[in-house]
Amino acid sequence: MDKMSTLEYINQMFPTEASLSGVEPLMQKIQSEIRRVDAGILAAVRQQSNSGTKAKEDLAAATHAVEELTYKIREIKTKAEQSEMMVQEICRDIKKLDFAKKHITSTITALHRLTMLVSAVEQLQFMASKRQYKEAAAQLEAVNQLCSHFEAYRDIPKITELREKFKSIKQILKSHVFSDFSSLGTGKESEETNLLQHLSDACLVVDALEPSVREELVNNFCSRELTSYEQIFEGAELAKLDKTERRYAWIKRRMRTNEEIWKIFPTSWLVPYRLCIQFCKKTRKQLEGILDNMKEKPDVATLLMALQRTLEFEDELAEKFGGGTQSREIGNEIEEIGRQNNSQSASDIRKKYEKKLAAHQGSENEEKDGNKDLSAPGAGFNFHGIISSCFEPHLIVYIELEEKTLMENLEKLVQEETWDVEEGSQNNVLSSSMQLFLIIKRSLKRCSALTKSQTLYNLFKVFQRVLKAYATKLFGRLPKGGTGIVAAATGMDGQIKTSDRDERVICYIVNSSEYCHKTSGELAESVSKIIDSQFADRVDMSEVQDEFSAVITKSLVTLVHGLETKFDAEMAAMTRVPWGTLESVGDQSGYVNGINMILSSSIPVLGSLLSPIYFQFFLDKLASSVGPRFYMNIFKCKQISETGAQQMLLDTQAVKTILLEIPSLGRQTSGAAGYSKFVSREMSKAEALLKVILSPVDSVADTYRALLPEGTPMEFQRILELKGLKKSDQQSILDDFNKGSPAISRPSSAAPVGRSMAPAPPASTVPAISNPASAGFIASREDVLTRAAALGRGAATTGFKRFLALTEAAKDRKDGPFRKLFNA
């Protein structure tokens, strides 16, 4: 009832006079309610007063309780400090006794260990003098452990004396062990049966000594083993490149013969592994000397045979010791080059990316393992290239041979090329291009099996030169324009004539160049995966791909020029038509039929051979050529009458229709929309020119400005000549045109002889255009365009009446050029 007024409430309770009888009971009820509310308020006030008093009492009680608690805490803290002082007094003597016990125990232990150390050193000295290596090895371990306990007593004279004595004993043991190992390999092991066991025990002593002793012993052993190797293969007889294989046979035989003897060494010493590393280093040094001291270039066959045997030996070592085994997926990468993978299945794509992921993870693992000890098998030492890399600077002769072979194969392929493809071929690519990449793949396989460093990069540069040479060969096969005196005399200088076979060959060259463009990119990608990482960024085929792109562009332009040459006869026929004496508008002219026949014979073949993107490029070039040429050809005609202009306008529409049907004729309509707009724009210029020619003389300048705003005075003068105006009449129109004045007087000359012209309309029917200086009136562009369109349709002329008669009759025909105009 917040929104209701008191007056409304009373009216609602007592709407009539009869209801006023209930006023007294209502008043009594309201007073009773008021008394009840007052009583409630009074009770609440009393209760609140009592609550305030109780709260003050409770606060006072809480304050007193906190004070009592603080006093008790202070009392407890005082008693705790007294208890702590009492405990310290009680334990003071016990702590002294505890320290004394600890010191006595440490002293007893140290004296006991010192006794053991003295005894162990004396025993070790005796074992060393008797060369009891097995017992001495165990004793060495014990003495080393005992000495570690006296590290804190190094300054005590007795300890220093014992340490010096232990050091001299270890030196004696080292000299004894080295002396005994010097007899290994001299034949004594076969005479003394226990010599090998004795040396095996000596290895235990070496392990107990410092690690440097073991390193020195193994290095001495390996050097002694390879001394005979150096002596044998440094001689004049075997220090030759063709004897390289015998080097590897020697070490294999040596390892096989001494395999049982070398078992005396613990496997953790990796003696055969270290021996092979030293052998590889010495062999590399000797081979480098042989190659550098050659007076002439090495024989390629000998060089490659030595390199091949070296690579095989490195592979055997990598497989035997498991260190740095390379992933040999080179063949798979190379096989991917040039494959037609237009329809890859989902499983193929998945496998491809799984391979890439595995390779990426493998490279990450190699980076993580880069800090491992290279002296341990499988810990990152890579035998690949440890010897073979010395051949790298001398493989230039191999690259020269490969380049010579590739160039000879290229010449042979081009000479044997038929410039045709087999029937039923899907890619329409010349066989020479596919064969060339097969040869390149084989060359890449050969080189990648030998090296993946500078030589492979040099071979890649050879591939670039070979492919550029092939692009030049394709470019040279394109039809050339006529040159020389005869061509100039016949007007064929620079013009390209193409037969139907030439057009097919050009399409094959386009497809082959596209294939080479794509495959050369795949070749670069494969080489970048195979080659060493420092050369991968330099592998690039962009220049080669640019060469093939240039061949494709030149080929398509040649196709257009060839068709232009075929159009020459039809364009000449167009200029020979007596446009000034035509009496009526008929069917499309003969030259239009000739253009249609030329395109009908060429376009289906080109559409079937070219890919959509290149066919679209060809169409754009053709449209940009035919449209302007047709426009300029109109100027080459002689005088054009009104009827002739109407006939030519009809021919223009027919040529436009023929050009628009080219995508359908070639069965490639993917980019037809853009092409149609382009054709319409180019042909509309010719239509506009003919409309200007059809316009009356008094408005020809305005029509020309409106329809051809980019025209020139010379072009406009030629239009006046086409209209048949005399020089005297042209001059005044040209003067007004050059001044930009729309006031053009109509000539009074008669039509030339032989030209059928419609009578001039009465002066009253011609819209007068007054001089803007006197009348201040300028015709708008829209008015001129409307007028030109009407004139283009031949309004108010007898020629237009004949044109209407033909078009009306053509409405009932199902074919023909007029029917095409109505259906367009």
Side-chain angles (χ1 to χ4, degrees):
M1 293 179 66
D2 294 338
K3 296 182 181 180
M4 292 181 63
S5 63
T6 307
L7 183 60
E8 290 178 354
Y9 177 74
I10 294 173
N11 290 333
Q12 184 180 355
M13 294 295 296
F14 307 103
T16 60
E17 290 186 6
S19 61
L20 292 176
S21 59
V23 171
E24 287 298 330
L26 179 61
M27 292 296 296
Q28 293 177 2
K29 182 178 179 182
I30 291 174
Q31 290 177 357
S32 177
E33 183 67 21
I34 290 172
R35 286 193 298 271
R36 186 181 65 80
V37 171
D38 290 341
I41 292 172
L42 183 60
V45 169
R46 290 174 179 173
Q47 185 178 359
Q48 183 64 30
S49 176
N50 295 334
S51 298
T53 304
K54 186 176 182 182
K56 291 180 180 178
E57 294 176 355
D58 293 342
L59 179 60
T63 303
H64 180 70
V66 169
E67 292 175 354
E68 289 183 355
L69 181 59
T70 303
Y71 173 76
K72 290 181 179 180
I73 290 173
R74 192 181 298 110
E75 187 178 358
I76 291 172
K77 184 176 180 180
T78 302
K79 291 182 179 179
E81 291 174 353
Q82 294 174 357
S83 300
E84 184 178 0
M85 293 176 62
M86 187 181 300
V87 169
Q88 289 179 354
E89 291 292 333
I90 294 173
C91 297
R92 183 177 299 168
D93 295 336
I94 297 175
K95 189 177 292 185
K96 290 180 181 180
L97 293 174
D98 186 50
F99 281 133
K101 178 183 176 183
K102 184 178 180 181
H103 293 159
I104 292 172
T105 304
S106 299
T107 303
I108 294 172
T109 302
L111 290 174
H112 180 65
R113 288 176 178 171
L114 179 61
T115 304
M116 294 173 61
L117 178 60
V118 172
S119 174
V121 169
E122 292 178 354
Q123 292 177 14
L124 181 61
Q125 187 176 14
F126 175 77
M127 295 174 186
S129 62
K130 297 295 183 180
R131 300 196 178 191
Q132 298 175 359
Y133 293 134
K134 188 174 183 180
E135 294 80 2
Q139 196 68 14
L140 272 172
E141 293 289 344
V143 174
N144 282 329
Q145 291 182 5
L146 289 170
C147 285
S148 63
H149 294 295
F150 292 96
E151 285 295 328
Y153 309 106
R154 298 175 65 92
D155 298 334
I156 297 176
K158 182 63 177 177
I159 300 299
T160 303
E161 179 185 349
L162 286 174
R163 292 178 70 86
E164 291 296 330
K165 187 176 182 180
F166 178 52
K167 184 177 180 180
S168 63
I169 293 172
K170 288 195 293 182
Q171 192 64 35
I172 293 172
L173 281 172
K174 175 183 175 181
S175 61
H176 288 343
V177 170
F178 277 53
S179 174
D180 291 344
F181 267 100
S182 63
S183 62
L184 184 63
T186 60
K188 291 184 178 181
E189 58 270 10
S190 58
E191 299 174 2
E192 302 178 14
T193 56
N194 62 341
L195 178 60
L196 294 179
Q197 182 60 43
H198 185 67
L199 293 178
S200 178
D201 295 339
C203 292
L204 299 177
V205 174
V206 174
D207 274 338
L209 295 172
E210 289 81 4
S212 60
V213 177
R214 181 184 64 189
E215 294 290 330
E216 184 179 354
L217 178 62
V218 173
N219 290 334
N220 289 343
F221 170 76
C222 293
S223 300
R224 192 168 59 251
E225 284 289 324
L226 295 176
T227 301
S228 59
Y229 167 75
E230 292 178 333
Q231 295 172 352
I232 293 171
F233 288 95
E234 281 182 352
E237 182 180 353
L238 295 179
K240 297 179 181 178
L241 197 61
D242 55 353
K243 305 296 183 183
T244 304
E245 187 175 3
R246 297 184 62 177
R247 296 173 178 270
Y248 309 132
W250 181 90
I251 189 64
K252 292 177 188 176
R253 185 171 59 253
R254 190 76 174 172
M255 292 177 68
R256 188 168 55 251
T257 304
N258 297 326
E259 183 177 5
E260 291 298 326
I261 298 176
W262 292 351
K263 286 183 178 179
I264 62 173
F265 297 106
T267 54
S268 60
W269 286 22
L270 310 172
V271 172
Y273 175 75
R274 295 172 181 270
L275 179 65
C276 288
I277 292 177
Q278 287 201 22
F279 169 81
C280 291
K281 291 179 178 179
K282 292 181 181 296
T283 302
R284 176 190 172 91
K285 185 177 180 181
Q286 291 186 357
L287 289 177
E288 283 178 343
I290 294 172
L291 290 169
D292 292 339
N293 295 329
M294 282 188 172
K295 297 180 180 179
E296 299 179 354
K297 289 185 178 181
D299 178 64
V300 177
T302 304
L303 181 67
L304 294 183
M305 180 59 69
L307 178 57
Q308 183 64 35
R309 295 293 177 261
T310 302
L311 291 170
E312 291 174 356
F313 177 67
E314 290 174 351
D315 286 341
E316 291 177 9
L317 292 181
E319 184 177 359
K320 179 179 179 65
F321 297 110
T325 303
Q326 287 188 339
S327 175
R328 298 258 178 198
E329 294 185 355
I330 297 173
N332 296 334
E333 295 289 349
I334 298 175
E335 289 300 327
E336 292 294 328
I337 301 173
R339 283 190 176 178
Q340 297 293 331
N341 52 358
N342 295 331
S343 57
Q344 284 186 328
S345 63
S347 59
D348 293 338
I349 296 174
R350 183 175 64 252
K351 289 179 181 178
K352 174 182 176 182
Y353 282 96
E354 285 177 352
K355 271 185 185 178
K356 288 185 177 180
L357 179 61
H360 178 67
Q361 292 176 347
S363 63
E364 288 183 352
N365 293 336
E366 288 180 3
E367 291 177 1
K368 291 179 181 177
D369 297 341
N371 297 325
K372 288 186 178 180
D373 182 12
L374 298 184
S375 63
F381 188 84
N382 191 357
F383 278 102
H384 291 290
I386 188 173
I387 304 175
S388 58
S389 58
C390 72
F391 289 87
E392 196 72 36
H394 306 277
L395 288 176
I396 188 67
V397 292
Y398 162 67
I399 296 301
E400 292 173 353
L401 179 61
E402 283 284 359
E403 184 170 10
K404 179 181 177 183
T405 305
L406 286 170
M407 287 299 184
E408 290 175 353
N409 286 326
L410 174 60
E411 292 294 335
K412 183 179 178 181
L413 288 174
V414 174
Q415 290 175 4
E416 296 176 354
E417 180 60 72
T418 61
W419 302 102
D420 201 354
V421 298
E422 299 178 358
E423 294 185 3
S425 178
Q426 295 181 352
N427 50 12
N428 294 317
V429 174
L430 294 172
S431 61
S432 59
S433 59
M434 293 186 288
Q435 291 296 326
L436 178 61
F437 275 100
L438 287 176
I439 295 171
I440 288 176
K441 284 164 61 176
R442 287 195 290 268
S443 175
L444 179 57
K445 276 187 175 181
R446 287 193 298 269
C447 185
S448 60
L450 299 174
T451 175
K452 290 179 286 298
S453 189
Q454 180 68 47
T455 302
L456 181 57
Y457 179 71
N458 293 339
L459 182 64
F460 175 76
K461 303 295 285 185
V462 171
F463 293 159
Q464 288 181 321
R465 293 193 288 271
V466 171
L467 290 172
K468 287 180 179 179
Y470 182 63
T472 304
K473 298 289 185 184
L474 294 178
F475 191 89
R477 183 60 181 80
L478 296 174
K480 301 295 188 297
T483 56
I485 300 175
V486 177
T490 56
M492 298 297 292
D493 190 12
Q495 292 185 343
I496 299 175
K497 282 188 174 183
T498 55
S499 61
D500 292 343
R501 170 171 169 74
D502 289 336
E503 290 178 352
R504 296 179 68 87
V505 170
I506 292 172
C507 291
Y508 296 147
I509 290 176
V510 171
N511 295 334
S512 300
S513 299
E514 181 183 12
Y515 170 79
C516 293
H517 183 283
K518 174 186 175 184
T519 310
S520 59
E522 295 174 355
L523 174 64
E525 183 180 355
S526 297
V527 172
S528 63
K529 292 179 181 178
I530 297 169
I531 202 167
D532 290 343
S533 57
Q534 65 265 31
F535 297 99
D537 294 337
R538 297 158 60 184
V539 174
D540 183 24
M541 274 287 186
S542 58
E543 292 184 5
V544 175
Q545 290 177 320
D546 291 342
E547 292 280 340
F548 285 110
S549 297
V551 174
I552 292 172
T553 303
K554 178 62 177 176
S555 301
L556 296 174
V557 172
T558 302
L559 272 180
V560 175
H561 289 170
L563 282 177
E564 286 181 347
T565 304
K566 289 183 178 182
F567 292 153
D568 286 348
E570 311 306 327
M571 293 298 176
M574 176 182 173
T575 59
R576 290 194 297 268
V577 174
W579 300 106
T581 59
L582 286 182
E583 296 179 355
S584 63
V585 178
D587 205 347
Q588 63 188 27
S589 303
Y591 73 89
V592 178
N593 295 329
I595 294 174
N596 190 21
M597 289 179 61
I598 292 171
L599 294 176
S600 298
S601 63
S602 298
I603 295 302
V605 177
L606 302 181
S608 63
L609 295 179
L610 293 176
S611 62
I613 184 172
Y614 295 124
F615 185 71
Q616 181 63 39
F617 180 83
F618 163 75
L619 292 183
D620 293 342
K621 287 290 183 182
L622 182 63
S624 63
S625 171
V626 174
R629 187 178 183 188
F630 190 86
Y631 176 85
M632 296 304 298
N633 209 54
I634 296 175
F635 289 101
K636 295 181 181 180
C637 297
K638 297 181 180 178
Q639 183 176 336
I640 303 174
S641 65
E642 187 175 351
T643 304
Q646 291 170 359
Q647 178 65 46
M648 194 179 289
L649 186 61
L650 174 66
D651 293 342
T652 304
Q653 289 286 347
V655 172
K656 177 180 176 181
T657 303
I658 292 170
L659 293 177
L660 292 175
E661 289 179 351
I662 287 180
S664 300
L665 196 61
R667 296 181 180 178
Q668 293 195 23
T669 58
S670 56
Y675 167 75
S676 298
K677 292 180 181 178
F678 191 60
V679 170
S680 300
R681 185 175 67 250
E682 292 297 326
M683 294 303 295
S684 65
K685 297 177 182 177
E687 294 174 350
L689 175 60
L690 293 172
K691 290 178 181 180
V692 173
I693 295 174
L694 277 168
S695 63
V697 176
D698 59 349
S699 60
V700 65
D702 293 337
T703 306
Y704 181 72
R705 289 194 194 96
L707 297 181
L708 297 171
E710 297 179 357
T712 62
M714 293 181 61
E715 194 175 272
F716 179 67
Q717 183 178 4
R718 180 58 185 152
I719 292 174
L720 297 180
E721 293 175 358
L722 291 176
K723 290 179 70 66
L725 297 179
K726 294 181 178 180
K727 292 290 184 180
S728 57
D729 297 328
Q730 291 179 17
Q731 191 59 44
S732 61
I733 299 175
L734 285 172
D735 292 340
D736 292 338
F737 175 78
N738 291 331
K739 294 177 181 177
S741 172
I744 302 174
S745 61
R746 182 174 179 81
S748 59
S749 62
V753 178
R755 178 182 180 192
S756 175
M757 288 191 66
S764 60
T765 62
V766 179
I769 304 177
S770 59
N771 194 319
S774 59
F777 171 79
I778 298 177
S780 66
R781 178 182 176 85
E782 289 76 9
D783 295 339
V784 176
L785 288 173
T786 305
R787 189 172 174 188
L791 290 171
R793 293 192 295 270
T797 62
T798 55
F800 179 64
K801 293 177 181 177
R802 291 194 293 271
F803 180 73
L804 282 180
L806 287 171
T807 54
E808 287 295 331
K811 289 183 179 179
D812 299 329
R813 295 178 58 181
K814 296 182 179 179
D815 55 2
F818 281 88
R819 183 70 262 172
K820 292 179 181 178
L821 291 176
F822 285 109
N823 293 336

